[in-house]
Amino acid sequence: MADEKGFTLWFTGLSGAGKTTISHLVETALRERGSRVEVLDGDVVRENLSKGLGFSKEDRDTNIRRIAFVANLLSRNGVPVITAAISPYREIRDEARQMMNGRFIEIYVKASVEACEERDVKGLYAKARAGEIKEFTGVSDPYEEPVNPEITVETEEQSPEESAHQIITYLEDNGWLSKN
Ligand SMILES: Nc1ncnc2c1ncn2[C@@H]1O[C@H](COP(=O)(O)OP(=O)(O)O)[C@@H](O)[C@H]1O
Ligand SMILES: [Mg+2]
C-alpha cells in the first residue's frame, strides 16, 4: 500500500471502556490490508515516551500532547495511527485535532462508569473506590465526553468486533481506506 493515506484514529474513553481491545482489532484489520499502521497505547506510552509522568492535570496534558505530536509526525507521512489513551480533557483533544489538519478522527469508546466498574479488568476501580489510587478518571478525576466525535462506539450494546467493524466501515465510507 505505497500510496496509503495517513490519518489518526483518536480513541478516547474511560479506563476499561475498551480502547485497547478495540484498537487491537482495528490494527489487525488494517494490517490484513497491508497497512503500516502504528498504535500509541496510553499504557505503553507511559512506560517509555512519557515515563515518569503522573496523573495531575499538567502531566496528563503533557502525555496527551506527546502522543498527538508523534501521531502527527506519522500520519502526515502517510502512516495511519491509532491512539488509545483516556485523554480526558476536551481542550487537549481539540488541540490535537487542530494540529492534525483534517486527519483527525475522534472515536468515543463509550461505556458508563458503572459498566467499566463492573468489568474492572485491572481491579483499578476497586482501588480507586478504596482511595488507594488518587485522581482516577471517572471516580475522582474528570472525564469530559466528546461533543461531536466522528464515531461513537457503544460498548455496552455492541461487541468489540462490531465496534471494530463500525470503524473500518467509517474509514471506507469516508475515503480513508479502499473498500475490500
Ligand atoms: N463491548 C465491548 N467492547 C470492548 N471491550 C469490552 C466489551 N465488553 C467487554 N469488554 C471488555 O472490557 C475490557 C476493556 O479493557 P481495555 O480494552 O483494556 O480498556 P481500556 O483500554 O479502554 O482501558 C476488556 O477486558 C474487554 O474484553
Ligand atoms: Mg488501554
Side-chain angles (χ1 to χ4, degrees), residues 73-169:
L73 289 185
L74 291 167
S75 61
R76 77 182 186 198
N77 284 291
V79 177
V81 178
I82 300 174
T83 72
I86 298 173
S87 40
Y89 294 106
R90 203 172 284 141
E91 188 186 350
I92 311 300
R93 292 196 304 266
D94 285 344
E95 208 178 282
R97 177 186 290 278
Q98 295 311 320
M99 185 193 288
M100 280 181 257
N101 239 334
R103 281 178 279 106
F104 184 89
I105 300 160
E106 189 171 20
I107 302 176
Y108 180 22
V109 182
K110 191 170 180 182
S112 62
V113 175
E114 294 71 30
C116 294
E117 194 155 5
E118 200 160 304
R119 291 177 192 166
D120 208 7
V121 219
K122 299 178 206 157
L124 296 176
Y125 284 87
K127 285 188 181 162
R129 291 288 179 204
E132 289 165 33
I133 305 175
K134 313 279 179 217
E135 301 174 314
F136 193 79
T137 302
V139 175
S140 46
D141 220 50
Y143 178 75
E144 298 175 354
E145 290 193 317
V147 176
N148 205 0
E150 277 72 13
I151 306 172
T152 298
V153 293
E154 300 277 358
T155 74
E156 291 178 60
E157 285 155 32
Q158 58 195 46
S159 69
E161 289 74 17
E162 286 168 334
S163 296
H165 185 256
Q166 180 188 345
I167 293 164
I168 296 293
T169 301

Side-chain angles (χ1 to χ4, degrees), residues 38-100:
E38 292 284 357
V39 178
L40 295 165
D41 189 275
D43 286 343
V44 179
V45 167
R46 279 185 172 278
E47 292 292 311
N48 44 73
L49 185 62
S50 287
K51 200 170 178 71
L53 291 183
F55 293 88
S56 65
K57 166 94 170 64
E58 194 185 356
D59 279 7
R60 286 178 186 272
D61 289 353
T62 301
N63 179 47
I64 297 308
R65 287 191 173 112
R66 287 180 187 175
I67 292 174
F69 179 81
V70 177
N72 184 43
L73 289 185
L74 291 167
S75 61
R76 77 182 186 198
N77 284 291
V79 177
V81 178
I82 300 174
T83 72
I86 298 173
S87 40
Y89 294 106
R90 203 172 284 141
E91 188 186 350
I92 311 300
R93 292 196 304 266
D94 285 344
E95 208 178 282
R97 177 186 290 278
Q98 295 311 320
M99 185 193 288
M100 280 181 257

